[in-house]
Amino acid sequence: MAPSTVRGLTLPAPLTSLIERDLWRHPGDAVLAKVIPWFKDPLAFVSNPEQMAYASQSMDMFANDPHSAFFRQARGSRGIPPLELPWLDVDQAVLIATTRNPGDDGALALDYRTDPSDPRVVGSDFWTDSLVCQWRVVAPTFSGFVSSLGL
């Protein structure tokens, strides 16, 4: 099993293993609702590294637009003081799930700021405060997220 990289970041070994065995699949809306009760829009899992790279390009669009602070995505590499939640550092993130309905703009991301080998999973929260997105912890580690989903 060779490590896969997306955006220069190595995907966690459990994710690579699930992808290779065709087990990185949506567990069902009911399971996700139990794991992420505050996330209101239906999600679709991004199935492979190539699609993760493609989906993650949307973060660049938001981070490069100074007028889109609503999405709270920025580049920590641009000398911004330590970028912490509720902001997402797009230089240290990979999207692993996106909303099923186009235009909903929600996502789950691996957030490598905590651990490069077992990053936390964060989700975009548009419901707590309708005026701004807040990135929230879904699981402190990807391995914990996978376990909570029963994958």
Side-chain angles (χ1 to χ4, degrees):
M1 173 176 68
S4 293
T5 61
V6 175
R7 299 170 63 85
L9 301 165
T10 302
L11 295 179
L15 178 55
T16 301
S17 175
L18 287 168
I19 291 169
E20 288 178 351
R21 295 180 293 137
D22 198 28
L23 297 174
W24 176 240
R25 297 185 188 153
H26 191 292
D29 291 337
V31 172
L32 278 176
K34 287 181 183 175
V35 174
I36 322 168
W38 50 266
F39 203 100
K40 305 297 182 201
D41 294 330
L43 286 165
F45 279 25
V46 183
S47 61
N48 61 52
E50 295 78 19
Q51 290 179 357
M52 290 174 188
Y54 180 77
S56 296
Q57 290 176 359
S58 66
M59 296 187 300
D60 297 327
M61 177 182 66
F62 295 127
N64 293 338
D65 182 355
H67 303 292
S68 67
F70 172 78
F71 292 99
R72 288 208 176 151
Q73 296 180 32
R75 295 186 182 286
S77 63
R78 291 208 174 141
I80 297 169
L83 200 53
E84 298 296 335
L85 294 177
W87 284 82
L88 183 67
D89 182 346
V90 303
D91 293 330
Q92 296 295 318
V94 171
L95 296 186
I96 58 171
T98 58
T99 48
R100 247 184 258 154
N101 301 321
D104 283 348
D105 294 325
L108 300 182
L110 296 175
D111 183 356
Y112 287 82
R113 292 176 288 186
T114 56
D115 183 344
S117 63
D118 197 8
R120 69 183 165 193
V121 177
V122 297
S124 54
D125 177 358
F126 292 96
W127 306 279
T128 300
D129 180 350
S130 62
L131 299 178
V132 67
C133 174
Q134 298 180 61
W135 288 87
R136 295 175 56 178
V137 174
V138 169
T141 61
F142 178 76
S143 57
F145 178 64
V146 167
S147 177
S148 69
L149 296 176
L151 298 179

